[in-house]
């Protein structure tokens, strides 16, 4: 991880897989807004496992995460699938919220 303004640090592939699986659960780091002020991780974005207390990186590189997960065997592929599905659900929810807001404005 780039450290988000702090020192760079390393997360092993097994721990990354666990982090991704946990983040994708209902109420997990991927599906909720985390942090405050400049240290934020919005829904749909995978933060560093150490965010927000020990790292300011609220957005890990999607390309780097995908490469690591798809190269990590069966556990990595399972985590990648969960991550892909969860980001899709967040995108659909965001779209529905935006559509509801547009409809509310149009009905005024």
């Amino acid at each position: 991880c780039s450290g988000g303004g702090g020192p760079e640090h390393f997360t092993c592939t097994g721990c990354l897989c666990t982090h991704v699986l946990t983040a994708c659960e209902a109420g997990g780091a991927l599906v909720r807004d985390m942090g405050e002020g400049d240290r934020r991780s919005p829904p749909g974005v995978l933060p560093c496992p150490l965010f927000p207390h020990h790292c300011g990186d609220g957005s890990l590189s999607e390309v780097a995460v995908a490469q690591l997960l798809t190269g990590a065997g069966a556990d990595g592929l399972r985590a990648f699938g969960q991550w892909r599905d969860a980001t899709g659900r967040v995108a659909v929810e965001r779209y529905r919220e935006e559509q509801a807001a547009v409809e509310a404005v149009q009905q005024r």
Side-chain angles (χ1 to χ4, degrees):
C1 173
S2 67
E8 290 186 16
H9 48 274
F10 173 79
T11 300
C12 72
T13 305
C15 293
L16 178 64
C17 290
T18 300
H19 172 59
V20 169
L21 290 171
T22 303
C24 293
E25 295 175 352
L30 183 77
V31 297
R32 63 187 168 98
D33 194 1
M34 291 183 58
E36 57 186 51
D38 293 341
R39 297 181 96 175
R40 301 212 39 195
S41 181
V45 175
L46 184 67
C48 174
L50 301 177
F51 180 83
H53 303 294
H54 302 289
C55 177
D57 196 350
S59 177
L60 294 178
S61 162
E62 290 183 2
V63 172
V65 171
Q67 288 174 339
L68 289 168
L69 293 177
T70 57
D75 288 342
L77 291 175
R78 185 171 72 103
F80 179 77
Q82 292 290 330
W83 178 45
R84 185 193 62 222
D85 293 348
T87 55
R89 287 191 305 273
V90 169
V92 167
E93 182 63 29
R94 186 176 300 137
Y95 173 79
R96 288 180 178 157
E97 290 172 359
E98 290 171 358
Q99 287 302 108
V102 168
E103 290 173 12
V105 168
Q106 290 175 344
Q107 291 178 3
R108 289 184 186 165

